Amino acid sequence: MLLVSTFIIYKSIVCVAAFAVALGVAAYSTWIERKFSAVLQDRKGPNRAGPFGLLQPLADGVKMFMKEEIIPNVSNKFLFILGPSLAMLTACMTGAIIPWGKDFVAADGTAYALQVTDINIGFLYLFGVVSIGVYGIMIGGWASNNKYSLLGAIRASSQMISYEIAMGLSIIALIMTTGSLSFREILNQQDAGLCNFCYQPLGFLIFFICALAETNRAPFDLPECETELVGGYHTEYSSMKLGFYLFAEYINMFVSSAVLAGVYFGGYNFPFAKEFYETCGIAEGSALMSLIGFLVYFMKVIGFILLFMWIRWTLPRFRYDQLMDLGWKKLIPLSILNIVVTGIVMGWKDIVALFN
Amino acid sequence: MNASNTPFDYFPLILMFIVAAGFVVFTMVVTHWLGPKRKTKIKLDTFECGIESKGNARVPFSIKYFLVAILFVLFDVEVIFMYPWAVNFKELGALGIIEMFSFIALLLVGFYYIIAKKALTWED
């Protein structure tokens, strides 16, 4: 058992590290996105700031800081500031439950988990915090007192709450097979054997589509549909408040990639991990093992982020009625079907026994 | 190793909140302090494609959005009902399956009703 003071220091370090990783990845996602879209559209992308434009995110950040912040005179000042703060806060809070690697066991035998915390209601916490994120957009759009902002905010919130139902339902089938809501336990169960994707391909697909809609990414980026709504809910925003909204989107994308990669694709586990660790002589609980696990997980996450971007630069935007039809009339029945099929397959023996 | 439910497990969430909130407040203050402040009346007007904005933006909007919000409240509560069942799925056995499937059937009746009533039809 750890001492209370050591516990607090260790958890603080993990918190700050998780936060810094999320911020760094989000910042460099903007760079990756611009380079990636440039490749897809046969352009060069950012190439002025530093080698390959690698300092571009820093330059963007400094620019955001130095710009004049404008609060329109008809807006609600307090809510106008609260909106982006809430969006950013919730985006950062969601990352708290993601286990980044195997436990690192110190010389005195204490295990240090590479995770802010492992709570047994991991998924409920995730959904709870994500739901609060809707408020960030809704409050911001409403406080602007601009017609475009309001329409964008209403669109965003009704889209996000619609897809939250399908998201919640698609995860239920997975929880039936794993029997736990804790992230760490779901990841550890994939230690040997197949990853959860092989058991729940339909659930993964639904969850992935919902993650796109929840993060307001294309093809579901109707809230910021330039052709009809100028800038959507952040039309009136400038300087770092706009930066917070954009940043929150990238952090959400990072966290949902991490959830997808962890829950459906094994996270820090990889095929033949045990054999690999044995041949290389890496001991269970060593720092090297944690590091390899972390890198494997991170590569999977980057893969998902690239997938998100590929989709954004390939597919056109949905129309609003198509978006709502897909969410309510297709994904919800499909995920209920997924639950029923999973239930019957898993409980077939019990059901047969009941009728004999 | 198992996920547990002690205050110790939830305490880091408070730390995370402090870190995130600290960053947000710090950034908001710094950006307010750094940026130039040359405000004019036109700059502080709300944006409306260059024309003068008329009236309040808080005008009535389509009832469909409100209906979606109400339906979300109903369905999300029912989704949350399924979580404890899903966690204990293996222990509950066949009886649990039958009970939850009858619940899902009732849910689908309500779902069919809202579709038949065209609550989710957007093109009119």
Side-chain angles (χ1 to χ4, degrees), chain A residues 66-254:
Chain A
M66 305 301 284
K67 286 285 170 184
E68 178 171 9
E69 51 165 8
I70 293 164
I71 302 178
N73 49 14
V74 285
S75 63
N76 297 45
K77 284 213 169 46
F78 174 68
L79 292 179
F80 193 78
I81 298 169
L82 184 71
S85 312
L86 211 55
M88 185 72 181
L89 191 68
T90 51
C92 295
M93 290 288 287
T94 46
I97 41 160
I98 292 165
W100 282 107
K102 292 204 168 180
D103 284 7
F104 161 61
V105 184
D108 58 349
T110 17
Y112 294 96
L114 296 177
Q115 183 184 20
V116 172
T117 184
D118 181 32
I119 44 178
N120 57 359
I121 53 159
F123 265 112
L124 287 182
Y125 170 81
L126 184 77
F127 286 134
V129 177
V130 165
S131 313
I132 297 172
V134 182
Y135 282 95
I137 288 169
M138 191 68 214
I139 287 174
W142 192 82
S144 303
N145 206 344
N146 177 325
K147 283 151 199 154
Y148 298 113
S149 300
L150 185 71
L151 284 177
I154 293 165
R155 274 191 183 189
S157 35
S158 71
Q159 168 189 335
M160 283 166 90
I161 58 178
S162 300
Y163 279 78
E164 221 160 80
I165 301 172
M167 196 181 211
L169 281 170
S170 68
I171 278 297
I172 286 174
L174 179 87
I175 290 162
M176 279 155 67
T177 59
T178 55
S180 172
L181 284 167
S182 148
F183 267 63
R184 173 170 292 267
E185 235 164 88
I186 293 174
L187 258 71
N188 282 342
Q189 280 174 6
Q190 300 169 70
D191 193 10
L194 295 168
C195 61
N196 282 333
F197 171 71
C198 306
Y199 300 112
Q200 290 290 333
L202 183 63
F204 165 75
L205 197 66
I206 295 167
F207 192 85
F208 182 69
I209 294 170
C210 293
L212 283 174
E214 285 286 308
T215 48
N216 294 329
R217 294 286 300 183
F220 303 107
D221 58 346
L222 286 114
E224 39 198 297
C225 186
E226 302 90 357
T227 45
E228 5 185 307
L229 287 177
V230 192
Y233 55 88
H234 51 60
T235 303
E236 290 294 342
Y237 280 91
S238 58
S239 97
M240 205 58 201
K241 294 200 203 64
L242 173 68
F244 270 0
Y245 271 132
L246 303 182
F247 231 59
E249 184 188 318
Y250 280 96
I251 295 178
N252 280 330
M253 193 169 87
F254 169 62

Side-chain angles (χ1 to χ4, degrees), chain A residues 285-340:
Chain A
S286 66
L288 193 59
M289 195 175 192
S290 303
L291 186 69
I292 290 171
F294 174 73
L295 289 177
V296 166
Y297 198 169
F298 207 73
M299 267 154 57
K300 287 178 185 173
V301 172
I302 298 291
F304 269 106
I305 289 177
L306 287 176
L307 185 59
F308 271 67
M309 284 169 184
W310 189 10
I311 288 170
R312 169 168 180 184
W313 293 97
T314 312
L315 295 179
R317 198 176 272 139
F318 274 84
R319 215 170 56 217
Y320 202 75
D321 60 314
Q322 293 170 333
L323 170 94
M324 282 307 191
D325 272 2
L326 178 69
W328 283 91
K329 292 182 189 159
K330 297 198 178 71
L331 292 186
I332 291 178
L334 262 182
S335 40
I336 288 177
L337 181 76
N338 192 27
I339 294 172
V340 172

